[in-house]
Amino acid sequence: MSSESESLDAELETTTLDGEGVDLSMVIDLQRCTGCGACNIGCAQENNLQEGMAYSSRIIETNGEFPNVSYEYTPTLCNQCDDAPCAEGCPTSALHKGKGGITMHDHETCIGCKSCMINCPYDEIHLNEEDPHPTWESEEATIESGTASARAVKDRAGVDDDVDAPAYYNPNREVSETEHPTRYKGIVEKCNFCVHRLERDELPRCVEECPCEARIFGDRNDPDSTVNEVLAKYNPDVLKADEGTEPSVNYVRDYNGGSYERGTGEPGLGD
Amino acid sequence: MSQHDTTDDDDTDLWIGRRDVMKAGAVGAVAAGLGSSLTSLTPLAQAEDGRTDLVEHTGDWRPSTCAGCTSWCAAQVLVDDETDRVLRTRGHEDSRIHGTNDCPRQDLGIQQLYDPDRITQPMRRTNPEKGRDVDPEFEPISWEEAIGEIADRIMELRENGEPETFMVTRGRYTYLRPILYSYLPQIIGSPNNISHSAICAEAEKFGPMYTEGEWSYRQYDVQQSRYVLAWGADPISANRQVSHYSNEFGDLLDRATVAVVEPRLSSTATKSDEWLPVEPGHDGALASAMAHVILRDGLWNREFVGEFEDGENRFVPGERVDPETFEESENSRGVIEWWNEELYDKEPEWAADEAGVPAEQIERVATGFAEAGPNAISWLGGGPCMQVRGSYTAMAIHALNGLVGSVGNRGGTLYAPSTGVEDLPAPDEYVDEVAEAGLDHEKIDQRGRLEFPALKDGESGGGVVTNNAADGILDEDPNEIEVLISYWNNFAFSNPESQRWEEALAEIPFHATIETHASETAWFADVVLPATHHQFERWGQLRSTGAGYRTINLHTPVMADDPDDPEDVLENGRLWDVKTDETEIPYLLAEALADRGFENLLAFFETEYPDPESGRSLREEIPGDDFESRELRAQAFSRNALKLRTRPIWDPDYRENEFDWPGGEEFDDWVEFRERGIWHTDEWEYRHRWPSEGGEFDTDTGVFEFDGETLRNALEGHAERHDTDVDTVLDVCNYQGRVDDPDAPDAFVPHYEEPYDMGDEDDYPFNFVDYKDRLNREGRSANTPWAQEFNDVNPGDEPGKDLAKINPRDADRLGIEDGDEISIRSPVGEIESTAKLWEGVRPGTVAKTWGQGHWAYGRVASDEFGDEARGGSNNVVIGAEYDRLSGSSVFYGDVRVDIETR
């Protein structure tokens, strides 16, 4: 395990959930990010996401004209806004602010009305228009009696037929009372900082998965947290600040760190 | 049918039901949670049918290795304790190179393991016709039948006295490879074992070989470097310790300047200080101009290169230097010859015209690089040298490291420390007369002929010419190929002008292939043998190199609780009825050949591959002649081979008494090592090969050569073999360099040659820029949904699409709009693609990520399996040309195409 992950893990273990005392926050160091997408793949596997539904996602922009071109890769996820318009506008309070400031979703009270999707300025809430992973229902083989089928692989891998998941189904979400392991048709879903992992003192999967140690996670209200150290060191930014939603996901430094004036950056967190 | 549809709520629903049970516990948890650890959010009660803890806390992290690219990262695999299901992978926590960091390619592994399109058991072709449009009509057969068919064919060749018509092709491998790749054909009697190496990056090895005597890839000391100048290398995206370089890159940007020479905006270029968008094929002009600037401005490293006797810099543009005035360092030779023959007139303005990069940028980068020296890296990738005249470019780019003294130095370009692994027992005593006669034949790739010098390690014909084997087969020159075993490769897709391989494979009377998927190559096979997945289901060994170390990494069958027990592995260690290409299949073949009266292979395995711990031979451990016993012995053989290979690492007695131990970590027994799965060398010692430090370079002269003396010897050796001169060799091989010709570049010093266009510029006005997909696991990931869903990690690409990137200025001129369906046509082939207008490509070029265009492999990789390709395969338009000095196939620089809307 990387030194950064180890120290963030240690912080997490000593973090106390004291009423309003904990404000879980993520900082993404864009200079460390290499746009590799490991976060997105890890998230998809941790949360058994249907293809095309990415809690951990990205905004990619290319600007300028050849040869003066800049390329920016911005990793995105639910911002767990302090003033979360998705929660404010939810008629059943299925979306609500939970412990640690996480914007939680209760699948049992969700009626799939989509008002949260309209209210979220970040497009981070997704509707299940069908039960997930329908392709994993298939019993068809490419070469009869020579290649496998989706159902056959699930069977070999020990995943029940009625679990709407791939053969590499991750049972981790079963441990949390607040999550449904795979979701189902008619409700929305979103990132919750992997609350099932947080409950077991493990970092969100995207943080752990990042090979560049670009994601820093911890308690904003702990003055000694790495999150606060990083936020103090750089000039943090949030997406769409003018929306006034007070995101808990901050960004520091620039993806195209090399084009910045050299010598202005501090040594990275891995040091 | 939905179990979870809110419109059809059902109390018996698995998950809803569980939630109901847990509600009481949940309330308690929140109340108890006040003022306590986050852990107290944990539900107090759990339903019987759900998990109570994360798999990370209940399962096992078991060691293995990712071979999704040649980074070969040591890995750990999380195996679920309840189902033995593989849940996730990561870098090995004990690795000093990458720790738990892995790149996204490794994360795709589980989608390969659990791919519904995997081959689950052996198959036999029933349709005798072969062709891309011909359904092979495969039918399932047993392993015993499949192995028996192959053995029958081999026996026939030997009985006919033509064992040389047997052939093995290899792609990816582990270091158990000699068994199938070398020893099997050797004992049968065929010289025709053809590796993929020359479609990988052999030209990259040519640069260090003919400057410092290392036919090898490098490691780069990024943690200590102050300047990184990358040439067609994309270290945060593709190939060689991506995990390590990705992790270091953010800090590197603080510490160092990073400049990238690349015709398209690569992943690394997007984050760098300087992008030098070179015109394809002209990299060598930049390298020569940079060397010129470094010498002109007196920025070279005196300790490594030397100094003028009076200290006056005589490197004046346009003027040659009297060698007598310069005192060479004891570390290198020939800088004056390099200047006089090549560099003296290669001014930045000249290079700017050739390469399309501003002169001031060339000056700035050269100066910055040299001033940072010796903590500076000239990082050679495949791009500038997998070109028709790429060998000389490779030399020029690597020689820059010599100029600034970064060779083997802190913050520079390093090699790997020696490792504590043993050669596998070799079969020389088991080669009979029939085999010896067969082995005397020329190889099917025609290496070593006048037109294919392939000068690996300085030897004429020392290296492979992978792609030319297709022509050898088609022309039956030097002989016909009757029986082919291919493994862990897909030559019908991965070689340039791959359509030739389709023809060649269709010609071979009997072809058995060992693969995880029904690839384009398998489409032509007579017998398809399903392979284990390398990271999860088999034994093997690879190695990683970085951060000053090399590690030896084990592949283990992670789903078996006791991998040393062959029964456990066969019962629990595989998802399907699959076997390991390099070990189990040769073993079963050996038994079948012995049944048919040829016992040498089996005698070799039985005698030379006992369990080194117990001393028991395979048959002593597992007696019995039924096929099941043979399968168990095959698995024991696999385990024994790995134990023998790594014995010095885990057997103290052997290490101390039987082996020249290079230092490094020491283990006391096999299980201790196997359970950890990774071993480290000692750390690289800076400058230890410098003659001034008492070392020696592996060139013919023992020093670093700027004058190509070792190349001179190699070229003269090749010319002599063909009773001709070096100029004829170079002429036949399409190079411009000549010996003692004032109008041509010097044949031996690193130098610039103009690109060799594959296609007329009028008919094919664009340069085709090919590069490898960041999520491409060496061509094996296209059937994983994540590789498609997230392929926008390649700058300019979009999820799920196969795009040809065109500069908007060109598109405007041609009337092509974003999203237009276009065709890309070269002299050898045509593919269909979708246009993407993007400023990250140089006008005059079309850039396209390599990896799409499968028409077989599976239902995700292809549009319709066996029928319709998903996107276009770059290899259809890239002609079969070669950098003949290295034997490499050409992918870059010289490929010309035309594009039009469809």
Side-chain angles (χ1 to χ4, degrees):
Chain A
M1 183 168 282
S2 65
S3 54
E4 186 227 12
S5 294
E6 274 174 9
S7 71
L8 295 179
D9 258 346
E11 269 182 50
L12 196 60
E13 279 173 30
T14 59
T15 300
T16 53
L17 191 79
D18 187 10
E20 295 173 7
V22 172
D23 183 9
L24 294 172
S25 177
M26 188 183 296
V27 183
I28 300 180
D29 181 345
L30 293 171
Q31 181 171 313
R32 294 198 68 88
C33 173
T34 62
C36 76
C39 46
N40 304 331
I41 295 172
C43 171
Q45 200 274 327
E46 179 72 30
N47 293 294
N48 303 307
L49 296 183
Q50 168 67 42
E51 283 123 42
M53 201 176 286
Y55 293 177
S56 172
S57 192
R58 64 286 189 198
I59 297 168
I60 297 172
E61 263 186 80
T62 307
N63 289 303
E65 279 189 19
F66 177 90
N68 301 309
V69 189
S70 78
Y71 174 94
E72 309 278 337
Y73 184 103
T74 308
T76 59
L77 67 164
C78 170
N79 282 288
Q80 319 292 347
C81 305
D82 285 351
D83 293 324
C86 60
E88 281 165 27
C90 178
T92 64
S93 298
L95 281 158
H96 57 280
K97 293 305 286 183
K99 292 290 175 187
I102 298 172
T103 307
M104 297 292 293
H105 176 250
D106 180 353
H107 61 89
E108 289 184 60
T109 48
C110 177
I111 54 172
C113 71
K114 300 192 273 189
S115 57
C116 51
M117 296 171 69
I118 296 162
N119 290 334
C120 174
Y122 301 104
D123 197 22
E124 288 293 352
I125 302 174
H126 319 277
L127 177 70
N128 286 278
E129 290 179 352
E130 58 182 343
D131 283 339
H133 303 292
T135 58
W136 283 91
E137 299 290 309
S138 169
E139 293 182 10
E140 204 178 311
T142 307
I143 300 171
E144 204 181 332
S145 305
T147 59
S149 71
R151 282 297 274 267
V153 184
K154 268 178 87 164
D155 184 45
R156 294 292 280 209
V159 179
D160 287 344
D161 279 354
D162 54 3
V163 176
D164 290 329
Y168 41 87
Y169 166 65
N170 188 332
N172 273 354
R173 286 172 60 110
E174 292 177 19
V175 306
S176 172
E177 71 182 68
T178 50
E179 293 186 308
H180 185 285
T182 59
R183 280 80 56 202
Y184 45 89
K185 177 181 175 181
I187 60 167
V188 299
E189 57 178 292
K190 64 177 272 300
C191 160
N192 57 19
F193 277 162
C194 282
V195 73
H196 60 281
R197 297 179 64 84
L198 296 174
E199 287 168 355
R200 295 296 193 285
D201 288 337
E202 294 290 342
L203 292 165
R205 179 71 179 269
C206 60
V207 177
E208 200 172 282
E209 199 69 46
C210 177
C212 311
E213 298 173 46
R215 293 184 186 229
I216 302 103
F217 186 81
D219 181 8
R220 189 76 191 269
N221 284 344
D222 172 359
D224 298 326
S225 68
T226 312
V227 160
N228 275 326
E229 185 191 325
V230 175
L231 290 173
K233 185 155 43 170
Y234 304 111
N235 295 319
D237 205 356
V238 296
L239 295 178
K240 297 186 181 176
D242 53 351
E243 294 282 348
T245 63
E246 301 294 327
S248 296
V249 176
N250 281 266
Y251 297 86
V252 295
R253 302 204 280 181
D254 198 272
Y255 182 80
N256 194 342
S259 69
Y260 258 44
E261 191 186 341
R262 291 209 319 110
T264 54
E266 296 282 327
L269 292 160
D271 277 353
Chain B
M1 269 298 285
S2 171
Q3 294 254 356
H4 312 302
D5 191 336
T6 48
T7 58
D8 183 25
D9 211 343
D10 180 348
D11 280 345
T12 61
D13 176 285
L14 180 65
W15 302 114
I16 300 292
R18 186 167 72 82
R19 297 295 170 237
D20 291 337
V21 171
M22 294 198 309
K23 271 178 185 165
V27 173
V30 172
L34 293 171
S36 66
S37 158
L38 268 181
T39 311
S40 60
L41 262 188
T42 306
L44 298 181
Q46 292 288 350
E48 285 171 13
D49 56 356
R51 300 297 180 104
T52 56
D53 205 350
L54 301 177
V55 182
E56 281 87 340
H57 294 171
T58 61
D60 274 348
W61 286 103
R62 295 178 181 170
S64 198
T65 303
C66 174
C69 74
T70 41
S71 296
W72 295 338
C73 294
Q76 286 176 306
V77 178
L78 180 61
V79 180
D80 180 27
D81 52 311
E82 285 191 21
T83 60
D84 283 337
R85 184 159 74 245
V86 168
L87 277 175
R88 59 179 286 203
T89 60
R90 69 180 185 198
H92 197 300
E93 62 186 347
D94 291 334
S95 167
R96 289 177 214 157
I97 299 171
H98 49 67
T100 55
N101 303 309
D102 61 356
C103 88
R105 282 190 290 280
Q106 184 174 154
D107 300 320
L108 301 177
I110 58 169
Q111 284 198 328
Q112 292 182 307
L113 174 66
Y114 295 111
D115 190 334
D117 290 332
R118 265 189 83 178
I119 308 166
T120 58
Q121 68 147 76
M123 297 187 290
R124 169 168 51 205
R125 181 185 206 90
T126 61
N127 189 347
E129 243 187 285
K130 291 183 182 178
R132 180 164 172 167
D133 300 324
V134 179
D135 186 339
E137 295 172 19
F138 287 122
E139 65 173 17
I141 51 170
S142 70
W143 272 103
E144 194 167 6
E145 282 177 284
I147 295 291
E149 282 203 21
I150 302 168
D152 284 342
R153 296 295 185 137
I154 292 171
M155 289 305 292
E156 201 179 316
L157 302 185
R158 284 184 47 90
E159 280 157 15
N160 294 340
E162 46 183 26
E164 69 278 6
T165 63
F166 176 72
M167 178 178 181
V168 175
T169 59
R170 156 194 120 192
R172 181 46 51 224
Y173 54 84
T174 82
Y175 284 101
L176 302 184
R177 72 186 187 198
I179 295 164
L180 174 56
Y181 177 68
S182 303
Y183 304 160
L184 174 76
Q186 190 180 345
I187 287 179
I188 290 169
S190 174
N192 290 315
N193 55 348
I194 301 297
S195 83
H196 72 294
S197 295
I199 57 169
C200 183
E202 292 298 271
E204 242 192 71
K205 300 174 183 168
F206 197 92
M209 174 66 214
Y210 291 104
T211 49
E212 56 173 316
E214 297 283 345
W215 185 269
S216 170
Y217 297 110
R218 286 76 47 212
Q219 61 164 312
Y220 295 105
D221 194 17
V222 293
Q223 290 156 306
Q224 302 292 332
S225 192
R226 296 292 177 270
Y227 206 108
V228 170
L229 171 55
W231 302 80
D234 199 359
I236 58 171
S237 173
N239 210 339
R240 296 216 159 71
Q241 246 36 81
V242 171
S243 50
H244 170 56
Y245 297 132
S246 296
N247 187 258
E248 290 294 333
F249 207 80
D251 290 346
L252 179 73
L253 291 172
D254 280 338
R255 256 196 317 266
T257 301
V258 181
V260 174
V261 181
E262 174 87 60
R264 48 113 202 173
L265 191 71
S266 66
S267 296
T268 305
T270 64
K271 293 185 69 70
S272 296
D273 299 88
E274 302 262 5
W275 176 35
L276 293 81
V278 62
E279 276 186 34
H282 296 271
D283 313 76
L286 295 180
S288 283
M290 287 187 193
H292 173 99
V293 170
I294 291 167
L295 292 175
R296 182 199 68 195
D297 293 349
L299 299 174
W300 74 89
N301 183 292
R302 268 62 177 176
E303 194 183 357
F304 195 76
V305 181
E307 174 61 304
F308 288 99
E309 282 186 341
D310 59 3
E312 182 193 335
N313 185 2
R314 290 178 176 79
F315 293 121
V316 177
E319 293 180 18
R320 284 165 164 117
V321 171
D322 176 2
E324 297 298 319
T325 62
F326 193 85
E327 191 175 344
E328 288 176 340
S329 139
E330 58 189 306
N331 295 314
S332 68
R333 55 176 273 161
V335 73
I336 302 300
E337 192 169 343
W338 189 21
W339 173 267
N340 287 346
E341 295 290 348
E342 168 68 9
L343 303 178
Y344 76 101
D345 62 350
K346 298 296 186 292
E347 296 179 44
E349 293 72 19
W350 162 84
D353 286 344
E354 291 289 317
V357 173
E360 63 188 38
Q361 190 178 26
I362 299 169
E363 293 259 5
R364 185 171 64 238
V365 170
T367 305
F369 169 75
E371 286 178 345
N375 313 122
I377 295 167
S378 177
W379 190 315
L380 174 58
C385 53
M386 298 292 278
Q387 304 184 4
V388 173
R389 294 162 174 164
S391 279
Y392 289 111
T393 313
M395 288 173 72
I397 288 170
H398 193 70
L400 292 174
N401 292 307
L403 277 191
V404 302
S406 65
V407 176
N409 206 348
R410 182 184 299 277
T413 166
L414 317 179
Y415 294 89
S418 301
T419 54
V421 284
E422 182 59 285
D423 291 337
L424 286 173
D428 299 349
E429 290 171 27
Y430 302 84
V431 176
D432 65 10
E433 282 179 11
V434 175
E436 272 174 10
L439 289 167
D440 279 343
H441 283 74
E442 187 188 3
K443 284 181 186 272
I444 194 73
D445 63 346
Q446 304 170 351
R447 72 184 73 172
R449 290 189 183 179
L450 176 63
E451 66 275 24
F452 288 112
L455 300 174
K456 178 182 179 182
D457 287 331
E459 187 192 338
S460 168
V464 64
V465 193
T466 309
N467 198 14
N468 194 53
D471 295 299
I473 294 167
L474 285 166
D475 299 340
E476 300 183 9
D477 178 13
N479 52 250
E480 195 182 350
I481 294 299
E482 302 257 10
V483 174
L484 165 68
I485 296 179
S486 58
Y487 85 93
W488 211 345
N489 76 57
N490 187 7
F491 281 5
F493 183 81
S494 57
N495 275 279
E497 212 175 325
S498 50
Q499 47 275 41
R500 293 156 45 261
W501 278 96
E502 294 178 15
E503 289 170 36
L505 292 172
E507 290 292 309
I508 295 173
F510 183 81
H511 169 202
T513 193
I514 311 167
E515 301 183 55
T516 56
H517 285 74
S519 71
E520 286 74 11
T521 297
W523 190 259
F524 295 87
D526 295 277
V527 168
V528 180
L529 302 176
T532 45
H533 188 287
H534 70 266
Q535 193 172 352
F536 309 110
E537 298 177 315
R538 62 168 285 179
W539 295 110
Q541 177 255 309
L542 286 170
R543 59 198 194 191
S544 303
T545 315
Y549 294 97
R550 171 164 275 179
T551 58
I552 292 298
N553 311 330
L554 299 187
H555 305 250
T556 72
V558 295
M559 293 184 286
D561 289 331
D562 181 4
D564 287 334
D565 174 7
E567 269 186 58
D568 193 3
V569 174
L570 294 196
E571 202 170 312
N572 304 308
R574 282 93 195 264
L575 207 60
W576 306 107
D577 191 10
V578 296
K579 296 196 185 294
T580 307
D581 38 28
E582 290 168 331
T583 48
E584 291 176 288
I585 290 170
Y587 182 82
L588 292 172
L589 203 48
E591 293 261 20
L593 289 169
D595 290 343
R596 288 156 178 77
F598 179 56
E599 294 179 348
N600 293 24
L601 191 60
L602 186 62
F604 169 52
F605 292 159
E606 175 69 13
T607 312
E608 308 291 341
Y609 287 79
D611 182 336
E613 270 187 307
S614 68
R616 285 187 303 183
S617 76
L618 297 163
R619 193 168 275 271
E620 282 166 356
E621 180 180 341
I622 302 160
D625 277 318
D626 55 309
F627 195 74
E628 200 179 319
S629 300
R630 291 180 175 190
E631 288 180 299
L632 290 169
R633 276 201 295 279
Q635 174 54 208
F637 170 65
S638 195
R639 178 205 63 207
N640 289 0
L642 183 61
K643 288 170 86 166
L644 289 163
R645 165 81 178 161
T646 58
R647 191 172 183 183
I649 289 172
W650 58 264
D651 182 342
D653 187 46
Y654 191 85
R655 178 165 63 228
E656 284 156 25
N657 300 314
E658 314 264 341
F659 190 74
D660 185 11
W661 181 245
E665 288 177 299
E666 297 181 357
F667 290 84
D668 291 332
D669 63 62
W670 162 249
V671 173
E672 184 194 8
F673 173 48
R674 186 256 289 159
E675 286 182 345
R676 183 152 177 259
I678 181 172
W679 172 89
H680 289 81
T681 60
D682 284 338
E683 199 171 357
W684 175 268
E685 195 185 332
Y686 294 125
R687 296 157 54 117
H688 71 272
R689 294 176 309 140
W690 289 26
S692 62
E693 312 275 326
E696 190 180 14
F697 288 104
D698 216 7
T699 54
D700 292 350
T701 60
V703 301
F704 189 98
E705 297 170 358
F706 295 110
D707 59 359
E709 183 62 19
T710 300
L711 177 60
R712 175 194 298 272
N713 294 338
L715 275 172
E716 287 177 354
H718 182 71
E720 202 172 308
R721 177 179 176 183
H722 295 283
D723 200 20
T724 185
D725 56 25
V726 169
D727 282 354
T728 305
V729 171
L730 294 175
D731 182 40
V732 167
C733 295
N734 299 318
Y735 296 93
Q736 295 178 311
R738 296 291 182 270
V739 181
D740 296 332
D741 178 348
D743 297 325
D746 180 80
F748 308 121
V749 302
H751 65 261
Y752 168 62
E753 300 203 354
E754 293 159 349
Y756 177 93
D757 287 334
M758 294 154 60
D760 184 81
E761 194 173 343
D762 292 335
D763 296 332
Y764 304 98
F766 287 88
N767 274 116
F768 187 69
V769 176
D770 168 88
Y771 55 96
K772 311 313 179 205
D773 189 328
R774 194 174 199 170
L775 297 180
N776 191 294
R777 291 172 57 97
E778 297 190 317
R780 295 184 289 274
S781 69
N783 209 52
T784 65
W786 289 331
Q788 302 286 354
E789 181 180 1
F790 296 111
N791 74 340
D792 56 340
V793 293
N794 300 292
D797 279 342
E798 294 174 16
K801 294 182 183 169
D802 181 41
L803 300 174
K805 274 88 66 183
I806 303 162
N807 189 279
R809 279 171 258 182
D810 287 330
D812 186 46
R813 189 166 47 78
L814 297 172
I816 293 175
E817 292 182 15
D818 210 37
D820 278 357
E821 297 302 311
I822 61 168
S823 65
I824 304 172
R825 190 173 53 87
S826 80
V828 302
E830 182 171 342
I831 53 174
E832 296 179 350
S833 188
T834 305
K836 165 78 181 278
L837 276 47
W838 194 52
E839 290 287 355
V841 291
R842 196 181 170 92
T845 68
V846 179
K848 190 166 168 300
T849 313
W850 187 91
Q852 301 284 3
H854 283 280
W855 51 269
Y857 217 87
R859 287 169 284 195
V860 179
S862 62
D863 258 1
E864 197 173 327
F865 176 80
D867 202 16
E868 205 169 316
R870 175 173 184 159
S873 167
N874 291 3
N875 279 337
V876 172
V877 295
I878 300 174
E881 255 305 346
Y882 305 90
D883 168 49
R884 290 162 190 266
L885 290 185
S886 69
S888 296
S889 275
V890 169
F891 288 93
Y892 316 113
D894 306 309
V895 183
R896 300 207 71 92
V897 297
D898 192 16
I899 52 173
E900 56 187 34
T901 47
R902 285 190 271 135

